[in-house]
Amino acid sequence: MSILRRGGWSLLSALVTVSAAALAGVPVYVEPQRDPVRPADVVVVLAGGLDERFEVGIALAGHGLAGEVLISLGEEPDDPRMDRYCGGRFPFRVACFVPEAGRADGEAREIVRRATIYGWKHLIVVTSTPELSLARHLVGKCFDGELTMVAATTGTGARYWASMYVRESAGFVRAFINQRCEAVVAARPPRPGALPD
């Protein structure tokens, strides 16, 4: 077989692999499960680019769906644009936090820690469309209450979607390697009637 022919087969194999991966990601990143919105204890807005997600979270609380908004500041805790949310005046409580290591699993641990402290049983979680499935997995693996996942407007273009596929896939790999919730579970108060360890 000639070098040219082998190169053609290699290129075709690569295109088929990339196409299969893209198609497999559609139900996870492009069309993830979304939930009907109903009242909850808190609206949680996950960190990300300064897109519509923060406005969506504030609007949900403003429509009476929760009495509090919890905002993750992610890797940019000193961004002055966040002052309008974290330092703003609203008819409901707004709290902001910086997650451990600025990563999604750090966000999930802090959300569950606060849910344990404040007795939250139902969270509305707002993030971008491609981040919805990973966020559901990370928060849901340690939070035993109800999750309502809401997608804010998402970026467009091939570069955006390619970067989100790679980033979110890496997040799933990290989540499956690190299955622990010990830090969160250890902080939970004993359930009524439970025997001490």
Side-chain angles (χ1 to χ4, degrees):
M1 196 185 282
S2 74
I3 293 174
L4 188 56
R5 188 176 266 185
R6 271 188 264 152
W9 281 111
S10 295
L11 180 60
L12 180 61
S13 294
L15 286 173
V16 167
T17 301
V18 168
S19 297
L23 285 173
V26 168
V28 177
Y29 306 125
V30 181
E31 291 296 330
Q33 177 186 339
R34 292 169 174 88
D35 304 315
V37 179
R38 62 183 196 77
D41 298 310
V42 64
V43 174
V44 178
V45 183
L46 301 182
L50 282 172
D51 55 25
E52 188 182 83
R53 72 181 77 192
F54 302 103
E55 292 297 327
V56 169
I58 296 294
L60 289 168
H63 285 95
L65 290 166
E68 182 171 355
V69 176
L70 178 63
I71 296 175
S72 172
L73 296 176
E75 298 173 358
E76 309 256 348
D78 299 323
D79 189 329
R81 295 174 291 184
M82 294 305 294
D83 290 347
R84 72 179 200 214
Y85 303 111
C86 300
R89 295 178 188 257
F90 300 99
F92 44 83
R93 184 169 183 259
V94 175
C96 296
F97 72 96
V98 178
E100 170 192 327
R103 292 201 338 230
D105 53 344
E107 285 179 319
R109 281 193 291 280
E110 180 62 16
I111 292 162
V112 174
R113 186 186 76 79
R114 289 178 186 237
T116 301
I117 291 168
Y118 299 116
W120 297 334
K121 303 293 182 211
H122 180 195
L123 312 175
I124 296 173
V125 180
V126 181
T127 192
S128 70
T129 300
E131 296 170 315
L132 221 52
S133 295
L134 180 58
R136 182 187 301 276
H137 173 74
L138 290 171
V139 176
K141 77 179 180 180
C142 295
F143 178 66
D144 55 5
E146 185 178 350
L147 293 177
T148 297
M149 305 302 291
V150 175
T153 301
T154 299
T156 59
R159 177 176 277 160
Y160 171 80
W161 283 103
S163 69
M164 292 309 288
Y165 265 64
V166 170
R167 187 176 121 196
E168 295 305 298
S169 296
F172 271 113
V173 169
R174 274 194 313 273
F176 287 114
I177 290 171
N178 179 14
Q179 291 283 330
R180 67 182 177 81
C181 292
E182 296 90 15
V184 173
V185 173
R188 289 184 182 177
R191 295 177 193 265
L195 297 174
D197 294 337

